[in-house]
Amino acid sequence: MTTHIETTFCAAIINAFRANKQLADRAVAQVPDDKLHLPLDEQTNSIATIMKHVAGNLLSRWTDFLTTDGEKPTRNRDAEFIDTFHSRQEVLEYWEQGWSRLFSELNSLTIEDFSKTVQIRGEPHLVPLAMARSLGHTCYHIGQIVQLARHHAADHWTTLTIPRGGSEQFNRDHWGESGRSPS
C-alpha cells in the first residue's frame, strides 16, 4: 500500500479545518444571541459579521475551485462586513453553507489535482498553496471569533482547550504519572 504525500497533506488540511470549525462552533454556542451581533467597538466586527465573511470567502474560493478564479465576480466582499442577519439560525445556516462547500470540494480532490494551478484574484497558486492560504485566512478569523466569544460569554465561558493551570493534570491524565509524552 502506497501513501501519497498529497493524500496525507489533504487529510491534514481537512483535519485542521474541522478542528478550527469545531473551536468556532463551540465558542459561538456559548454566546447569547444578542451578543452575536455586538462588536467591541465601531472599528471591529461582530461574531456574526466575521462568520458571514468566512462563509462568503469559503463559498467564493471553493466553488468550482479548480476551474474558476477564487474571487468570483458575484462575490460582494464589502457586503460581508455588514451584519444583515436577523437570527442565530440565519448566521449558522450561512456559516454551514460555506463549510459544506469547502469540505465537499476538498473531499473531491484527486492526487492529480495537486499539481494543478488555480487562480485567486488573478494570481496563480498551486493547489496545495491555495489550500494553505485558505486555511491560514480561516484560522485567523476563527481566532477572532473565539476571542470575541470569550469576551461576550464573560463568567459563563467554558474553556475550549486545557484550562489555565491545568497543563500538568492534563499531561498526567493523558501520559501517566510522569506527565510526559512517551518518547
Side-chain angles (χ1 to χ4, degrees), residues 23-91:
L23 280 174
D25 290 344
R26 290 174 51 218
V28 168
Q30 297 184 56
V31 177
D33 289 356
D34 61 319
K35 302 280 178 120
L36 284 177
H37 306 278
L38 182 65
L40 291 179
D41 59 46
E42 62 187 38
Q43 297 302 314
T44 60
N45 295 306
S46 68
I47 292 170
T49 300
I50 297 167
M51 291 174 75
K52 182 179 182 181
H53 169 61
V54 168
N57 180 273
L58 293 175
L59 286 165
S60 184
R61 295 292 185 263
W62 293 95
T63 298
D64 303 321
F65 173 65
L66 295 172
T67 58
T68 64
D69 193 291
E71 189 67 16
K72 304 296 182 278
T74 56
R75 181 182 185 202
N76 184 348
R77 184 183 177 280
D78 291 336
E80 292 169 7
F81 295 98
I82 301 168
D83 184 356
T84 56
F85 297 118
H86 296 98
S87 68
R88 175 182 293 266
Q89 182 178 340
E90 284 182 47
V91 174

Side-chain angles (χ1 to χ4, degrees), residues 2-183:
T2 305
T3 302
H4 294 278
I5 189 71
E6 295 88 352
T7 304
T8 303
F9 178 76
C10 193
I13 290 285
I14 290 170
N15 184 42
F17 271 118
R18 286 196 192 286
N20 276 276
K21 181 183 184 301
Q22 184 181 41
L23 280 174
D25 290 344
R26 290 174 51 218
V28 168
Q30 297 184 56
V31 177
D33 289 356
D34 61 319
K35 302 280 178 120
L36 284 177
H37 306 278
L38 182 65
L40 291 179
D41 59 46
E42 62 187 38
Q43 297 302 314
T44 60
N45 295 306
S46 68
I47 292 170
T49 300
I50 297 167
M51 291 174 75
K52 182 179 182 181
H53 169 61
V54 168
N57 180 273
L58 293 175
L59 286 165
S60 184
R61 295 292 185 263
W62 293 95
T63 298
D64 303 321
F65 173 65
L66 295 172
T67 58
T68 64
D69 193 291
E71 189 67 16
K72 304 296 182 278
T74 56
R75 181 182 185 202
N76 184 348
R77 184 183 177 280
D78 291 336
E80 292 169 7
F81 295 98
I82 301 168
D83 184 356
T84 56
F85 297 118
H86 296 98
S87 68
R88 175 182 293 266
Q89 182 178 340
E90 284 182 47
V91 174
L92 295 178
E93 284 174 4
Y94 190 62
W95 172 252
E96 291 300 329
Q97 284 178 33
W99 287 97
S100 177
R101 168 56 45 212
L102 165 76
F103 290 127
S104 174
E105 204 67 23
L106 283 174
N107 285 311
S108 74
L109 293 176
T110 66
I111 290 170
E112 294 75 29
D113 293 333
F114 282 79
S115 62
K116 294 179 179 174
T117 299
V118 298
Q119 299 290 317
I120 301 176
R121 292 193 172 137
E123 249 182 74
H125 291 66
L126 284 173
V127 165
L129 177 58
M131 294 167 72
R133 178 177 170 166
S134 182
L135 178 62
H137 174 260
T138 303
C139 290
Y140 168 79
H141 289 301
I142 297 293
Q144 291 176 322
I145 291 168
V146 171
Q147 185 68 21
L148 281 167
R150 170 65 188 94
H151 173 80
H152 290 318
D155 293 338
H156 302 291
W157 180 255
T158 301
T159 190
L160 305 175
T161 59
I162 301 167
R164 283 185 187 185
S167 295
E168 286 185 33
Q169 184 63 48
F170 177 87
N171 291 344
R172 276 194 298 279
D173 292 347
H174 286 83
W175 294 314
E177 194 172 318
S178 73
R180 300 275 180 228
S181 172
S183 302

